[in-house]
Amino acid sequence: MRFQRLGDRGREIPVVLDATGRAWDLRPLTADIDGAFLAGDGPARAAAARGRGTLPELDTEGLRVGAPVSRPGNLVCIGLNYSDHAAETGAEPPREPVVFLKATNTIVGPDDTVLLPRTSARTDYEVELAVVVGRTARYLATPDDAAGVIAGYAVSDDVSERDFQHERGGQWTKGKSCETFNPLGPWLVTADEVSDPQALGLRLAVNGQPRQEGSTKNMLFGVHHILWYLSQFMVLEPGDVVNTGTPAGVAFGANDFPYLAEGDEVEVSIDGLGTQRHRVGQA
């Protein structure tokens, strides 16, 4: 199933999409697509209601596409998780996942404007597979247990300001948490629709120029390992989002790609999870 949230920021309408792309209003079931909805078997209840024909169709003409899950309690990120990305930045492949947190208010809709910070010199892009947690993950016994806590997947752009990240005291969070720095969506695709999260192609282009093209098969630590690993150090709760790392091709890497500038258009896509297109503005 594919879920979306449509409408003005702060007043998004939760919907489920059918195979033709028609949107069915979930407000008879829930006020939002959030942790409570996911933990309360919301996807199954939505499927049952759709089967009974009790959900009204929503006219989506002109509606903004919001992030597919409302503001999570945690936005956890994994750094240097693709071998080619580690190589292009001159970093040794990590022996354990590199973990950092990103402010949750960075999450915006997939097509919302990304704002360059006022003192930014090197704002960068990162296509990433985002995992949305559906059940509490606490001390998972094995990576195999992670499959049971995943609600679904989404496209994420982990926008980063490299000077803030690397030149301002070594705290990655400062370079990751500027406003609008995490476009998410367009859809939350339930886990049963993704047969293998380690076999997804990822792509990103700026102004039509391909920058990143990779595959989740090249992750150093796979999705299930990441969730198992995180659960040893923190409790992941329903609605939390985990960004799982980016492949090569970022401006910070060993290439001639420029950093983002006002007016740029960024297109980000992952196989089966949709495409987001956002413009770059100035804060």
Side-chain angles (χ1 to χ4, degrees):
M1 300 180 73
R2 293 179 297 156
F3 293 95
Q4 272 191 321
R5 298 168 65 247
L6 303 174
D8 294 339
R9 189 174 304 186
R11 296 194 296 273
E12 291 92 346
I13 299 167
V15 302
V16 60
L17 304 177
D18 65 19
T20 68
R22 296 163 69 189
W24 302 90
D25 193 335
L26 287 172
R27 285 177 293 182
L29 293 180
T30 183
D32 210 343
I33 299 171
D34 54 13
F37 172 76
L38 297 173
D41 292 324
R45 292 188 293 114
R50 179 72 191 97
R52 294 192 301 268
T54 57
L55 299 178
E57 186 173 1
L58 181 71
D59 181 4
T60 63
E61 183 68 27
L63 291 181
R64 165 186 171 269
V65 180
V69 61
S70 65
R71 185 167 169 176
N74 282 301
L75 175 52
V76 188
C77 303
I78 306 299
L80 301 173
N81 194 34
Y82 284 71
S83 55
D84 55 356
H85 176 56
E88 75 170 346
T89 61
E92 287 292 326
R95 290 179 293 178
E96 296 187 38
V98 175
V99 179
F100 61 94
L101 298 178
K102 188 165 184 166
T104 58
N105 63 0
T106 60
I107 293 178
V108 293
D111 306 327
D112 288 346
T113 299
V114 169
L115 297 176
L116 298 173
R118 293 180 182 179
T119 59
S120 170
R122 297 191 296 167
T123 294
D124 210 346
Y125 49 81
E126 293 187 6
V127 56
E128 305 207 9
L129 173 66
V131 181
V132 179
V133 178
R135 298 189 184 281
T136 299
R138 176 179 178 271
Y139 294 113
L140 296 177
T142 70
D144 289 341
D145 294 327
V149 305
I150 296 173
Y153 302 93
V155 180
S156 182
D157 184 359
D158 176 21
V159 184
S160 309
E161 212 296 333
R162 301 303 189 184
D163 276 357
F164 297 177
Q165 180 181 358
H166 295 289
E167 308 300 332
R168 300 294 299 273
Q171 302 298 318
W172 281 22
T173 297
K174 288 186 291 191
K176 298 285 189 171
S177 294
C178 305
E179 60 181 338
T180 73
F181 262 28
N182 208 111
L184 188 68
W187 312 318
L188 167 59
V189 179
T190 52
D192 61 297
E193 297 286 338
V194 179
S195 59
D196 184 357
Q198 305 306 146
L200 300 175
L202 308 89
R203 291 162 295 279
L204 184 145
V206 179
N207 301 326
Q209 178 191 25
R211 297 283 184 89
Q212 293 184 276
E213 184 166 0
S215 171
T216 56
K217 70 181 179 182
N218 294 324
M219 284 184 182
L220 295 171
F221 306 101
V223 167
H224 292 169
H225 182 95
I226 289 169
L227 267 66
W228 163 80
Y229 183 86
L230 291 174
S231 78
Q232 310 308 306
F233 302 95
M234 64 182 72
V235 177
L236 297 174
E237 297 180 334
D240 285 353
V241 174
V242 179
N243 285 339
T244 56
T246 195
V250 298
F252 185 65
N255 53 59
D256 295 325
F257 294 146
Y259 289 95
L260 295 174
E262 185 176 7
D264 283 348
E265 182 172 279
V266 183
E267 181 173 296
V268 191
S269 62
I270 298 178
D271 292 346
L273 303 183
T275 298
Q276 52 178 248
R277 296 177 182 88
H278 41 269
R279 296 192 70 83
V280 177
Q282 182 66 56

